[in-house]
Amino acid sequence: SINMRKVMTVFMMVLLVFCFAGCASEKMKTIGAETEKAAESNMVPEKTDDFDKESLIADVINDPVFGTYGRLIFPADTGYYSGDTLEELGLVWYNNISPDKTVEIVNYLKKHAGAGETVFYDIYTEEEKKQDPDKRDTGLFFFKGNPGEKFAVCNAGGGFAYVGAMQDSFPHALELSKKGYNAFALIYRPDAQMACEDLARAISFIFEHAEELEVDTDSYSLWGGSAGGRMAAWLGSYGAAAFGGDNLPQPGAVIMQYTGHSDYTESDPPTYACVGENDGIASWRTMEQRLEVLSSFGIDTEFHKYPGLAHGFGIGVGTSAEGWVDEAVAFWEKQMEESGR
């Protein structure tokens, strides 16, 4: 009948609608699955070129981001360090080296150099380096703090035989930069006289380029461990001009670690010193006696000795000296306040 045919026609149309809807739904599901699969295939984990404890020291030195100065991140004289990886790094006369801190330092340098920032400055001209090739192994690594903040120069030890910057100046400079200060780590010629000449040149360079470097030159500080401590003390006592540098103001503070330096003047800068009680190279008594003499001249001093520590503990991560950098910074800041700068 006509009515039956109409009913069948409506039924078939409804069936077709459901069929097409189902097919479309399945097709959309298929497309969605394929899209999701394609997206997953493109979700490659973000690649990182950061160094880790297993990274080879040679790979750090030769990383293109460091140009020609990568060789100065570790001692230029390779006979004074051991190990193939950052975790295995050993430095002659040094103890308590933290692989985590070593990794942090090289990654800091790589990150900032990779961002186009200058992390290394030559302190001598090409002509000067031609005349004295040893000057090619010098320069300043810059750990930048807040623009316009005061600066510090950190000097590593190494017995005037090499420069142990990875334990004795890079960590200090990094920590100072975290506190907002502009910190430089000097790579110098390993000879007492020439090292002081290099430090005098470095301080003069910073003063000359203060605007470009965005540093405040008032009440700057000199830091040093072992041989580097002697350098800081000598420049503090006699000034940059005495070692061929410019006629510059005296530092606001000298921060010294583990050195038997006993020389002094009655006009030395305020001096902070620290050392391990078990140091077989630098006697804590010698250091304490020197500061007692300075104090007798009315010079502000502060002295700390730490139980169980030998020579070359650096910033003292994980040792009885941990936190000494904060105390030294507080001492420096006290001098800033008292000088009104």
Side-chain angles (χ1 to χ4, degrees):
S1 68
I2 294 175
N3 287 338
M4 182 59 68
R5 285 200 297 272
K6 287 182 178 180
V7 170
M8 291 299 295
T9 300
V10 171
F11 176 76
M12 291 300 294
M13 290 177 66
V14 172
L15 189 62
L16 286 170
V17 168
F18 275 107
C19 180
F20 281 122
C23 291
S25 176
E26 287 302 316
K27 186 173 183 180
M28 290 303 294
K29 286 180 182 178
T30 302
I31 292 173
E34 290 175 351
T35 302
E36 186 176 350
K37 185 176 180 181
E40 288 176 354
S41 68
N42 289 325
M43 286 175 63
V44 179
E46 184 180 347
K47 186 177 180 181
T48 174
D49 292 322
D50 286 353
F51 298 115
D52 57 35
K53 287 189 281 190
E54 299 306 313
S55 297
L56 296 176
I57 293 171
D59 288 345
V60 177
I61 292 172
N62 296 315
D63 193 305
V65 75
F66 296 133
T68 59
Y69 61 85
R71 62 192 176 80
L72 298 179
I73 295 174
F74 297 91
D77 187 334
T78 58
Y80 287 94
Y81 74 84
S82 59
D84 294 323
T85 67
L86 297 180
E87 184 172 30
E88 296 168 347
L89 176 66
L91 296 168
V92 174
W93 302 311
Y94 282 100
N95 296 282
N96 309 107
I97 297 174
S98 167
D100 289 332
K101 185 58 62 177
T102 301
V103 170
E104 183 184 1
I105 290 163
V106 295
N107 280 330
Y108 171 94
L109 293 172
K110 180 166 184 172
K111 173 186 174 182
H112 288 271
E117 300 172 30
T118 303
V119 299
F120 180 82
Y121 288 90
D122 281 302
I123 56 175
Y124 292 109
T125 66
E126 282 302 315
E127 184 60 32
E128 288 172 317
K129 287 186 281 189
K130 281 182 182 178
Q131 293 175 0
D132 182 355
D134 287 341
K135 289 180 178 177
R136 295 192 178 279
D137 290 338
T138 65
L140 284 170
F141 281 91
F142 188 22
F143 294 76
K144 192 171 182 62
N146 296 331
E149 189 52 90
K150 300 186 189 300
F151 78 87
V153 181
C154 302
N155 305 278
F160 293 120
Y162 79 104
V163 181
M166 189 54 75
Q167 171 74 344
D168 223 16
S169 61
F170 288 165
H172 305 62
L174 178 59
E175 294 308 304
L176 287 169
S177 71
K178 290 178 182 179
K179 295 178 181 295
Y181 294 107
N182 294 293
F184 299 85
L186 175 65
I187 308 300
Y188 57 85
R189 291 169 294 170
D191 168 272
Q193 176 65 32
M194 290 189 290
C196 287
E197 292 172 4
D198 293 342
L199 178 53
R201 180 58 172 264
I203 301 169
S204 301
F205 175 89
I206 296 167
F207 267 78
E208 182 181 352
H209 298 277
E211 185 175 349
E212 169 196 341
L213 296 168
E214 298 183 297
V215 303
D216 179 356
T217 58
D218 284 341
S219 199
Y220 67 97
S221 61
L222 298 180
W223 296 56
S226 199
R230 292 179 184 271
M231 293 164 58
W234 275 320
L235 268 291
S237 294
Y238 302 108
F243 298 97
D246 297 334
N247 187 16
L248 301 173
Q250 187 180 54
V254 168
I255 313 296
M256 305 171 63
Q257 288 183 276
Y258 34 74
T259 177
H261 182 78
S262 56
D263 188 24
Y264 59 83
T265 71
E266 294 186 15
S267 58
D268 263 32
T271 302
Y272 174 103
C274 65
V275 61
E277 288 184 354
N278 294 352
D279 195 319
I281 297 176
S283 166
W284 65 263
R285 292 178 179 83
T286 300
M287 295 188 72
E288 185 178 47
Q289 287 167 5
R290 178 176 183 269
L291 263 64
E292 287 174 348
V293 173
L294 295 184
S295 295
S296 72
F297 298 142
I299 298 168
D300 196 9
T301 66
E302 188 173 330
F303 175 75
H304 296 273
K305 55 184 171 69
Y306 303 109
L309 281 187
H311 195 74
F313 55 80
I315 60 173
V317 175
T319 75
S320 59
E322 186 161 1
W324 79 263
V325 173
D326 295 333
E327 295 174 345
V329 169
F331 178 84
W332 178 24
E333 290 173 341
K334 177 186 174 187
Q335 313 313 315
M336 296 179 203
E337 291 171 5
E338 292 183 355
S339 67
R341 294 183 292 180

